[in-house]
Amino acid sequence: IHIDIFKNKKIDLLILTQPLSEDGFTKLYDEINLYKSIFKELQNRKIYLKLHPREKIEKYQFIKEFENVSILENSNMPIEAIIENMNCNYIISISTSGILNIRKFKKIYIYPMLELKEKFDILLKQFENKEDLFIANDMVHLKSIIQQDYKDA
């Protein structure tokens, strides 16, 4: 597993992970397959994972298969503590409310991609604004949100 110091690096995507399988929201198999499909579909983008403090790094052994993916070295720090050193296009999360406090980056929720729409829409749908907070319903939608920025650049 490639663990990296994040400070002042230019990256495309930061994914904030969550212990969803550990907490019984989804199966580990489904959670890992979602991440694998994102890494494969976005293999031309540099992706970092910021692990939730309750997650074990062993859960993410599969990222060895992807050269474009690294784990953030200081994953135990809260995102708010490291955000100032970030040079990132998008922050992606399945459903963490932590991204709601982040103002300087575009954010994408992907909980519908894990069949969690019923559980999280009532909490998070109200924050979607299509300017800096998006909710991707599937891989095609996620890619279209991300690629739009690269077309505008």
Side-chain angles (χ1 to χ4, degrees):
I1 295 179
H2 185 238
I3 299 177
D4 208 338
I5 297 172
F6 192 65
K7 193 169 182 145
N8 298 320
K9 287 194 179 199
K10 173 72 175 118
I11 63 165
D12 295 308
L13 308 167
L14 174 66
I15 297 179
L16 305 181
T17 67
Q18 294 171 260
L20 292 175
S21 55
E22 293 87 341
D23 291 345
F25 283 99
T26 191
K27 293 181 174 104
L28 178 61
Y29 174 83
D30 294 334
E31 191 175 3
I32 288 173
N33 278 341
L34 173 62
Y35 288 128
K36 282 183 174 182
S37 66
I38 291 170
F39 302 159
K40 191 179 296 181
E41 287 291 326
L42 301 174
Q43 62 188 354
N44 61 336
R45 308 271 188 242
K46 183 62 184 160
I47 300 171
Y48 276 77
L49 298 181
K50 194 250 177 246
L51 305 187
H52 188 280
R54 287 195 296 120
E55 288 182 297
K56 296 199 179 333
I57 197 167
E58 292 78 22
K59 177 179 175 181
Y60 296 95
Q61 289 294 319
F62 69 90
I63 72 164
K64 293 178 199 171
E65 304 168 33
F66 302 95
E67 291 182 20
N68 62 318
V69 181
S70 298
I71 291 179
L72 187 60
E73 182 182 46
N74 50 357
S75 274
N76 285 330
M77 294 178 66
I79 188 63
E80 295 83 1
I82 59 172
I83 198 92
E84 293 307 314
N85 292 321
M86 290 175 50
N87 186 3
C88 176
N89 293 333
Y90 284 94
I91 298 176
I92 296 175
S93 172
I94 292 174
S95 64
T96 186
S97 60
I99 67 173
L100 295 174
N101 299 323
I102 298 169
R103 299 280 178 241
K104 83 183 212 189
F105 303 107
K106 292 186 178 177
K107 298 151 307 254
I108 305 171
Y109 278 125
I110 57 172
Y111 62 84
M113 296 170 66
L114 252 185
E115 309 289 325
L116 295 172
K117 198 166 174 60
E118 283 182 31
K119 289 188 186 334
F120 292 111
D121 252 1
I122 197 159
L123 297 171
L124 301 173
K125 185 77 172 159
Q126 63 186 319
F127 299 106
E128 182 178 32
N129 61 30
K130 305 220 184 334
E131 289 176 21
D132 71 346
L133 182 68
F134 305 86
I135 298 174
N137 294 308
D138 54 37
M139 189 60 68
V140 171
H141 190 199
L142 176 62
K143 286 176 70 175
S144 73
I145 293 167
I146 293 168
Q147 288 173 346
Q148 184 59 47
D149 252 18
Y150 292 95
K151 288 178 192 168
D152 293 344

